[in-house]
Amino acid sequence: MKYILILVGLIFFSSNYAQTKANCYEDYLKLFKARKTFALTDGEHNVVVTIRDLKDNACYSVMGKISTEDGQINSKLFLKNSKGNYVPHKKELHENYTKEESTLKLNLKVVDGMSSNFLTQDKHVINLFFIDFLKPKGPGLQEAPDVSTYK
C-alpha cells in the first residue's frame, strides 16, 4: 500500500511539473495576447519561429523571415543562421496536409500577429510570431522612493 501511495505521489508531482515547465511557444503566446499587435501589412517580415518537439517536450525559438499578402503567408520560411544569413527552412510539412480525407488543414492566415500551428513531417509543431507588429509595452508604475527620504 505504501508503494502505491508513493507511486501515485510521483505521478501527481511529475504531471504538475510537466504542466508548469517553461515553454517558448507559451511565452510568446502570452506576450502577444497581452500586448496585442498592429495590423499586418503586405511584404517581407521578421518572425520569431517557435519549434516544439512533442516527443521530447522541448521548445526552442529562432529568428526568421517570411512574406505575407492580404493577411496570409505567401512564401517559404527563411531562418537566420549564426552568421546573420537567411537560409530556407528545410523541414517539410506533414504529408496529411495534402490528403483530402485528412483532418489537417493548412491555414496560412495570420491572426493577431500569430500564425496557426504547422505540423512537420518529423512531428514538430511550428508557429510564427510577427514580432515587428507587437505593440510597445505600456508605461509601468513608478516605484516609490526609499522610506529614508521621508525621515
Side-chain angles (χ1 to χ4, degrees):
M1 181 67 172
K2 184 166 51 169
Y3 292 113
I4 293 174
L5 287 175
I6 291 171
L7 183 61
V8 168
L10 285 173
I11 291 170
F12 177 76
F13 176 77
S14 64
S15 68
N16 280 343
Y17 175 74
Q19 292 171 357
T20 60
K21 187 175 178 183
N23 182 316
C24 64
Y25 165 74
E26 291 173 3
D27 292 342
Y28 277 101
L29 182 63
K30 287 176 191 173
L31 174 68
F32 273 66
K33 285 184 181 255
R35 297 244 307 258
K36 309 293 182 207
T37 57
F38 296 111
L40 186 67
T41 58
D42 293 348
E44 187 176 71
H45 305 294
N46 294 314
V47 290
V48 170
V49 182
T50 61
I51 303 166
R52 290 174 280 157
D53 185 340
L54 301 178
K55 293 179 291 185
D56 297 334
N57 195 24
C59 181
Y60 59 98
S61 57
V62 295
M63 292 303 298
K65 280 191 183 269
I66 201 159
S67 293
T68 61
E69 186 174 355
D70 296 327
Q72 294 198 50
I73 295 167
N74 72 346
S75 73
K76 187 163 179 63
L77 174 64
F78 289 83
L79 301 179
K80 191 173 187 178
N81 66 20
S82 59
K83 292 183 178 181
N85 301 321
Y86 286 90
V87 295
H89 185 250
K90 292 184 176 138
K91 291 186 183 285
E92 295 293 324
L93 290 178
H94 198 277
E95 62 193 15
N96 285 351
Y97 282 114
T98 57
K99 293 181 180 177
E100 280 191 39
E101 68 277 0
S102 174
T103 58
L104 275 180
K105 301 296 177 209
L106 190 58
N107 181 1
L108 298 175
K109 191 170 186 163
V110 177
V111 178
D112 297 329
M114 301 174 280
S115 74
S116 62
N117 295 330
F118 298 111
L119 182 64
T120 65
Q121 211 43 27
D122 57 355
K123 304 281 193 307
H124 289 138
V125 179
I126 295 177
N127 290 86
L128 308 178
F129 292 89
F130 289 75
I131 199 75
D132 293 338
F133 293 89
L134 189 63
K135 289 185 177 178
K137 187 177 180 180
L141 299 176
Q142 182 176 352
E143 190 174 327
D146 188 83
V147 71
S148 63
T149 337
Y150 298 108
K151 291 184 177 181

